[in-house]
Amino acid sequence: MDSISVIGGNQLNGTIPISGAKNCALKLMCAALLTQEEMHFENSPNSLRDMDSQTELLEYLGCKISRDKSLMSINAGNIQTYTAPYDIVRKMRGSILVLGPLLARFGEAKVSMPGGCAIGTRPVDLHIKGLEEMGASIILEEGYINATAPKGGLQGTKIIFPKVSVGATENLMMAATLAKGETVLVNSAKEPEIIDLGECLIKMGAKISGLGSETIRIEGVKALSGVRHSVVPDRIEAGTYIIAAGMTGGTLRLQNARVEHLSAPLGLLSQSGIEVEQEGNDIIVHREIGRLQAIDVMTEPYPGFPTDLQAQFMAMLTLAEGAGMVTETIFENRFMHVPELNRMGADITVQGNSAIVRGVGRLHGAEVMATDLRASVALVLAGLVAEGETIINRIYHLERGYEDIVGKLGNVGANIKRVGG
Ligand code: EPZ
C-alpha cells in the first residue's frame, strides 16, 4: 500500500501551479450529458482518482472522452445506457450528479445510491425530493434510484431547500436547464464551483440568473450546445498551500488562484498571522518563521469558512500560540484527523462537533493513517513541521483530490517522497 514520507523542518519557497477545481470539474463532466455535441474543458485537473472514476462512469454510459494533460473532451452524443452501476458510483460520490442530466435529457435514469463515506452518511434526499417536485417519479429499490420523467419532460417549479446543499443545487440546476418552464431554487448553495458550472451551462445555451445568490432561476430550453470552458481554479488546493506556507515559513507564489474565493479563510488566517496578496492571476503568501496566533473557526456554507479547509486549519492550530476552537457544522464526522494529529504530539480535545486545539511547542514525526481526502492533507501539513519523519499511509485518499502533491511540495523545498508499500 503506497505511503508518503515527509521529513519536517524545511521552509517552503517557490511557485506552485494551482489546478482546476476538482469539485467543479466533476460536475462539468456531468453537464456534458446535457448535450449531444462535444464539450472541451481546459484547466481540467489531471491524474486525480476522482476524475478517473467519473471518466469510468461516463464512458460506461457511452460517452467518448479524451484527456490530454489539462484538456478534456467529452462527447455524449451516443449514450448507450441510463444506468450508473454501484461498483462505479461507490468509488466516488460525485457520480450522483449524472442523475439530473440523464433525467432531463433522456427522461430516465437508474443511479446507484452513493452510500455514505468516512465523513458522514451524506444522504441525497434533497436531490431526490427536488426532482420529484419537478414531476419525476422516483422508486428506491435494491440500492438504486430509479427515476423517470413525465411524458412531456420535467416541469419547472419552485424548490425551497431546507438546508444548503452544493450537490442538490448542482443536480437540480442542471436538470432544470431542459425542463418545461421556469425553475426557482431557493436557499441555493453559492460556491464558486457552482457559479462556474452555471456559467458553463449559460455558454451552452441555458437561461440561468442569480448564480452566487441564494435564489437561482432557470428557464428551460429545448436543447444545449457543446462549448469550450476553462475550469475555475481550485480554491481548496490554494487554501491548503497557503496554510502550509503559514506553518513552515517562506514565500510561495500560487499560480492561477483567486483571493476572492477565499475571503473567509484568508480573513481568519491574517488574524493568525498569515498575510497573502493577489498579484495578477497569482496569490503570494509570505510568512516569517515564528508562532502563529490561535483563533476560533466555525465551518459554514460559502461564503463562510469552508469545511474542506477545516482539517488543514486544525493542523495549523496545533503549533499556534494559545488555544483555538474548531466547530464543524456541515458534516457529522469530520474530525478523524484528530487522533492522528494527537499521535504526533498535538493537544486536541473533541467535544461533539467542536474541537479545542491547544498549541504545543513541537510535533514529532509518526506513522499515521489517512482516512479521508482533507484529513490526509492535514497530516501532510503536520509532517512538514514535525521533528523527524512522518509516514502517511493509505494515500489513495490524498490522490483523489490533490494533483501531484509530492511534486508540487517537493519543488518548493519540502522533504517529501512517495514510498511504495
Ligand atoms: C460537496 O459535497 C463537496 N464535494 C464536498 O467536498 C464539500 O465538503 C461539500 O460540498 C460542502 O461544501 C463535491 O463537490 C464532490 P452538500 P456535497 O450537499 O455536495 C447534507 C471534498 O473534500 N445533505 O453541500 O455532498 C449533507 O449530509 C468534499 O472535496 C443532506 O442532508 O455536500 C451535509 O451534511 C468533501 N441531503 C450537508 O447537507 C442531501 O440531499 C452539505 O452537503 C444533500 C446533502
Side-chain angles (χ1 to χ4, degrees):
M1 173 177 54
D2 284 350
S3 306
I4 281 178
S5 158
V6 187
I7 297 183
N10 294 4
Q11 286 203 351
L12 299 181
N13 288 292
T15 298
I16 294 182
I18 297 301
S19 303
K22 160 184 88 83
N23 289 350
C24 183
L26 292 173
K27 293 56 172 299
L28 289 168
M29 291 173 76
C30 299
L33 292 169
L34 290 164
T35 175
Q36 61 179 10
E37 297 177 6
E38 183 115 333
M39 297 285 286
H40 300 283
F41 297 113
E42 294 162 353
N43 198 36
S44 172
N46 221 330
S47 68
L48 287 186
R49 287 177 185 268
D50 278 4
M51 294 294 287
D52 295 344
S53 305
Q54 198 76 310
T55 299
E56 184 188 356
L57 172 58
L58 292 179
E59 285 178 339
Y60 178 89
L61 297 176
C63 291
K64 295 272 173 292
I65 298 180
S66 62
R67 288 163 57 173
D68 172 16
K69 296 194 185 62
S70 64
L71 178 64
M72 171 184 281
S73 299
I74 304 183
N75 186 315
N78 187 20
I79 294 298
Q80 302 292 316
T81 171
Y82 308 134
T83 298
Y86 171 71
D87 64 340
I88 300 179
V89 172
R90 70 183 170 78
K91 290 180 203 163
M92 204 271 299
R93 297 181 39 76
S95 325
I96 189 70
L97 274 297
V98 303
L99 178 61
L102 285 175
L103 202 47
R105 182 163 161 224
F106 301 105
E108 62 177 284
K110 180 178 178 184
V111 179
S112 166
M113 292 289 279
C117 73
I119 62 177
T121 52
R122 304 193 67 185
V124 289
D125 56 308
L126 301 180
H127 302 236
I128 291 170
K129 190 169 168 303
L131 290 170
E132 286 176 330
E133 289 176 31
M134 295 179 76
S137 83
I138 294 185
I139 300 165
L140 303 184
E141 209 167 49
E142 295 167 8
Y144 277 82
I145 302 165
N146 298 281
T148 41
K151 275 247 170 319
L154 294 173
Q155 297 299 315
T157 186
K158 182 175 184 178
I159 297 168
I160 301 173
F161 293 117
K163 66 172 16 175
V164 174
S165 162
V166 169
T169 301
E170 293 164 331
N171 230 338
L172 291 159
M173 177 169 73
M174 287 193 280
T177 59
L178 296 178
K180 297 271 173 307
E182 182 185 54
T183 299
V184 183
L185 303 179
V186 181
N187 198 22
S188 297
K190 311 174 190 172
E191 273 70 1
E193 294 78 29
I194 296 181
I195 297 174
D196 200 57
L197 173 64
E199 286 170 353
C200 179
L201 292 167
I202 290 168
K203 272 194 230 171
M204 294 167 71
K207 290 189 173 29
I208 301 174
S209 60
L211 289 170
S213 78
E214 61 276 348
T215 303
I216 299 177
R217 292 175 183 280
I218 307 108
E219 184 64 40
V221 295
K222 282 221 173 319
L224 295 176
S225 314
V227 297
R228 180 176 288 271
H229 182 78
S230 181
V231 182
V232 68
D234 193 322
R235 61 191 166 99
I236 302 301
E237 184 190 22
T240 301
Y241 291 128
I242 289 169
I243 292 172
M247 292 171 70
T248 62
T251 303
L252 282 185
R253 172 181 291 273
L254 303 180
Q255 273 176 333
N256 196 20
R258 300 186 201 157
V259 289
E260 70 267 22
H261 292 165
L262 287 162
S263 311
L266 293 181
L268 283 180
L269 291 174
S270 69
Q271 288 174 45
S272 181
I274 303 175
E275 295 297 343
V276 304
E277 59 182 352
Q278 185 81 41
E279 196 179 281
N281 288 329
D282 304 344
I283 289 179
I284 311 289
V285 47
H286 172 71
R287 169 78 188 155
E288 299 298 335
I289 200 69
R291 287 191 91 176
L292 295 165
Q293 286 305 309
I295 42 174
D296 297 342
V297 65
M298 177 182 284
T299 64
E300 294 175 297
Y302 192 88
F305 188 97
T307 175
D308 293 349
L309 281 179
Q310 179 258 102
Q312 299 91 315
F313 197 81
M314 192 184 282
M316 182 197 85
L317 290 177
T318 60
L319 290 176
E321 182 79 42
M325 175 128 94
V326 178
T327 303
E328 172 59 57
T329 69
I330 308 291
F331 292 110
E332 62 265 35
N333 185 32
R334 205 168 196 180
F335 283 150
M336 281 169 297
H337 39 290
V338 169
E340 301 303 299
L341 289 170
N342 283 342
R343 292 183 60 240
M344 297 175 71
D347 178 359
I348 307 170
T349 311
V350 174
Q351 304 274 350
N353 70 340
S354 289
I356 295 280
V357 187
R358 294 179 180 82
V360 295
R362 62 187 176 79
L363 295 179
H364 48 78
E367 185 153 3
V368 292
M369 181 96 78
T371 50
D372 62 272
L373 172 55
R374 308 302 175 181
S376 320
V377 84
L379 300 176
V380 173
L381 298 186
L384 291 173
V385 295
E387 288 176 5
E389 182 178 27
T390 299
I391 302 274
I392 297 123
N393 294 313
R394 295 192 181 176
I395 58 164
Y396 57 85
H397 289 290
L398 199 54
E399 292 168 333
R400 292 187 45 204
Y402 283 92
E403 187 173 359
D404 187 23
I405 187 166
V406 172
K408 289 185 177 183
L409 283 173
N411 287 342
V412 293
N415 187 341
I416 182 170
K417 65 179 187 299
R418 276 179 74 105
V419 286

